[in-house]
Amino acid sequence: MTLPAMPREFWLAVCGLMGLFVGSFLNVAIHRWPIEGMSVNHPRRSLCPSCKKQLTWRENVPLVSWLIQRGRCSGCGWSIPWRYPLVEALNAVAWLWLASITPAGEWGLLAIRLVTVSGLIVATFVDFACFEIPDQISIGGMVLAPLAAVAVPALHESTWVAQYFSAPGAVDRAGALAGALAGMALGGGILLAIGWLGKKLYGRDAMGLGDV
């Protein structure tokens, strides 16, 4: 896909702005995923968690609505937690930063980086609130990671396992897949061992499988 030539600053601004709106969606996931029976698309419209008032588009503009309403629901006056504007701003800054460090034209690599960092933001804030990592992130990530490696081998161009299993010259799809699987096994294995050791020492679960 060939995109029209635009100044780099323009694409960075677009990426940061998109990150802001995606951050608003991340807040929905952070709020709804830990609640049994709720999903990110049901109910379809955003509601105030306190009075269940359906929010209008004017009340859903990232950061701006929160500032105009002085951090409160226009219906019941509920104090909207700082987490909401924080997640929106954090995701926007992260997307802007990733866009600035990803080589020009590497759209596949950039897309995977953006999805990954947004997923990590959701996992982090759900973990803060509920001391668990949502399966949508942990299990979903385990399924998508090898597929992403095959689709964009450049993800593992600096991984020695990927280099070893690739043909000489550059990391290929087979090598990238080997690198992804090796990384999953090593990273998960280390945390699993820490959890096992912690259970032996303290007599109780020291680490959940979500962390592994």
Side-chain angles (χ1 to χ4, degrees):
M1 179 175 62
T2 302
L3 295 177
M6 292 284 184
R8 180 172 174 79
E9 292 76 12
F10 171 80
W11 292 116
L12 292 178
V14 168
C15 200
L17 185 61
M18 290 178 60
L20 193 63
F21 280 90
V22 171
S24 181
F25 172 77
L26 300 186
N27 274 317
V28 175
I30 293 167
H31 172 68
R32 293 184 180 181
W33 272 346
I35 301 175
E36 187 174 353
M38 292 193 73
S39 66
V40 293
N41 59 358
H42 181 75
R44 299 187 66 86
R45 297 293 297 271
S46 296
L47 306 174
C48 169
S50 177
C51 67
K52 309 305 178 185
K53 172 183 178 291
Q54 182 172 295
L55 305 183
T56 66
W57 71 266
R58 293 182 179 84
E59 297 169 299
N60 259 331
V61 181
L63 286 182
V64 176
S65 295
W66 187 85
L67 291 171
I68 291 176
Q69 295 169 200
R70 300 181 180 180
R72 292 189 176 277
C73 171
S74 62
C76 64
W78 176 67
S79 181
I80 303 171
W82 276 89
R83 187 203 81 205
Y84 286 84
L86 176 61
V87 167
E88 292 167 352
L90 181 61
N91 197 66
V93 171
W95 278 39
L96 180 61
W97 172 67
L98 289 172
S100 70
I101 66 170
T102 302
E106 295 287 350
W107 301 108
L109 180 61
L110 176 60
I112 292 172
R113 285 177 170 178
L114 298 181
V115 170
T116 300
V117 75
S118 293
L120 291 174
I121 289 174
V122 172
T124 298
F125 281 89
V126 172
D127 199 15
F128 280 152
C130 307
F131 300 102
E132 65 180 26
I133 295 176
D135 291 341
Q136 292 91 333
I137 300 297
S138 57
I139 297 176
M142 290 174 64
V143 173
L144 292 177
L147 299 177
V150 172
V152 186
L155 284 168
H156 292 275
E157 62 182 6
S158 60
T159 306
W160 71 267
V161 174
Q163 295 172 353
Y164 179 81
F165 283 97
S166 296
V171 171
D172 55 28
R173 298 183 191 279
L177 177 61
L181 296 176
M184 291 167 64
L186 179 62
I190 290 173
L191 293 178
L192 191 62
I194 293 173
W196 177 84
L197 181 61
K199 187 172 184 178
K200 290 292 184 181
L201 290 175
Y202 300 110
R204 59 184 176 84
D205 288 338
M207 184 175 293
L209 283 178
D211 298 306
V212 176

